[in-house]
Amino acid sequence: MTVEKSLPFAGKKILITGAGRDFGRTLAINFARLGADLLLSARKIENARATETMVRSMLPAANIACFPIDLTDQRQLAGVRAEIEGFTDRIDILIHNAGFWLRDDFVDTPDDDIVSAVASTATGPFILTKHLLPMIKRSSAADVVFLNGTTALRNNLRAINEAFSAAKAAQALFSERLRHRLRESGVRVLTIYPPDFYNTSPLDPTKWEYRRDAFEDLTLTARNVFDCIRFALLQDRICSIDEIVLSNNNGRNLRN
């Protein structure tokens, strides 16, 4: 894996939830390439450590710490700040990536799964943000990023589990209100709404760099999503890109 000569996130303390797999792992790899110090969290800490091992195999000197964060466990969330403060006194970027996907039809979804989805997508991130705000405000240039999805949007007509969609909508409203609360403190809040996307690995340059044409029957990729996050975070501090809505520009593949 190549490390970029310019390291725009050098020294930045970035906390990523759901960092043990999928797009959370993609975020970790890419921000490590850009010089960030990583705070990786996952419900099972061994998954976060697996991501750490992957990053260190390519960047041995990477500054990484792993934390178990179960967004459905309120008592654990209450103690997260003290644990993270053992590694750093501030958080420059908090990325809410974790979530619990509901695949089944709503009426067939187990009650416990609905509770888990709402907790990991809505109440868990709310509580985690609350407890970490003092650390976020210690940063001279802090950002909070919510990886949401087009399923949260009111005009989205795609068939989706209603409980999951509602949890994402709650997260969207929370991020909007949080943005207004924190604006005077200089903290920016970005919410990004991608449709379904293919989690291409940044470790596979051929697939990662492949530019998809509008007439291909394909979805967006993780690179498209990451590039938008990176673009928003690198703007001058006076510029807050509040929301980014992505769509598949392909009439044969409208998975929004």
Side-chain angles (χ1 to χ4, degrees):
M1 179 177 68
T2 59
V3 179
E4 294 197 13
K5 294 180 180 179
S6 174
L7 299 177
F9 293 94
K12 290 283 189 178
K13 313 295 184 183
I14 302 183
L15 173 58
I16 303 169
T17 68
R21 58 187 179 87
D22 300 335
F23 191 62
R25 182 166 287 174
T26 296
L27 288 168
I29 293 169
N30 279 294
F31 279 117
R33 288 183 64 228
L34 298 173
D37 297 337
L38 301 179
L39 312 172
L40 305 180
S41 79
R43 184 171 59 86
K44 296 181 179 180
I45 194 168
E46 58 265 29
N47 292 338
R49 286 174 176 158
T51 298
E52 177 186 10
T53 298
M54 183 177 294
V55 173
R56 287 194 188 281
S57 69
M58 297 163 286
L59 298 168
N63 197 10
I64 306 173
C66 296
F67 305 92
I69 298 182
D70 183 349
L71 293 171
T72 68
D73 187 339
Q74 294 183 31
R75 288 184 297 180
Q76 186 191 72
L77 291 175
V80 162
R81 175 180 156 192
E83 189 172 354
I84 296 176
E85 284 181 325
F87 179 79
T88 178
D89 65 341
R90 73 179 194 277
I91 294 172
D92 296 304
I93 303 172
L94 168 60
I95 302 181
H96 286 291
N97 168 73
F100 187 96
W101 176 258
L102 294 178
R103 299 180 181 277
D104 297 328
D105 182 85
F106 175 63
V107 296
D108 297 324
T109 304
D111 294 351
D112 288 346
D113 284 356
I114 293 175
V115 171
S116 294
V118 173
S120 62
T121 306
T123 54
F126 300 171
I127 294 170
L128 180 62
T129 302
K130 169 193 167 184
H131 286 294
L132 294 183
L133 267 180
M135 296 187 71
I136 293 170
K137 288 183 175 181
R138 288 179 200 144
S139 171
S140 60
D143 291 279
V144 180
V145 179
F146 290 88
L147 187 74
N148 200 295
T150 53
T151 184
L153 304 178
R154 294 181 64 89
N155 63 349
N156 187 282
L157 301 179
R158 177 190 167 199
I160 194 71
N161 188 292
E162 288 84 353
F164 180 75
S165 181
K168 284 291 190 180
Q171 185 191 95
L173 182 57
F174 174 75
S175 65
E176 177 186 316
R177 302 315 305 163
L178 184 69
R179 182 179 303 115
H180 288 292
R181 172 179 288 274
L182 297 180
R183 192 176 299 278
E184 291 185 1
S185 68
V187 178
R188 300 183 302 193
V189 179
L190 163 69
T191 309
I192 184 165
Y193 300 91
D196 286 351
F197 63 90
Y198 180 59
N199 191 44
T200 42
S201 172
L203 304 182
D204 185 338
T206 300
K207 290 184 178 179
W208 181 260
E209 297 295 341
Y210 178 68
R211 301 284 163 165
R212 300 187 171 199
D213 188 85
F215 300 101
E216 295 182 81
D217 190 18
L218 299 169
T219 65
L220 304 182
T221 71
R223 178 181 55 78
N224 301 130
V225 181
F226 178 78
D227 283 352
C228 287
I229 295 173
R230 173 180 173 174
F231 173 78
L233 293 177
L234 291 179
Q235 297 305 302
D236 294 345
R237 296 303 304 181
I238 198 171
C239 176
S240 176
I241 298 178
D242 299 340
E243 297 182 330
I244 299 176
V245 179
L246 301 176
S247 62
N248 286 297
N249 186 34
N250 185 330
R252 295 176 297 169
N253 193 11
L254 296 177
R255 300 179 188 178
N256 295 332

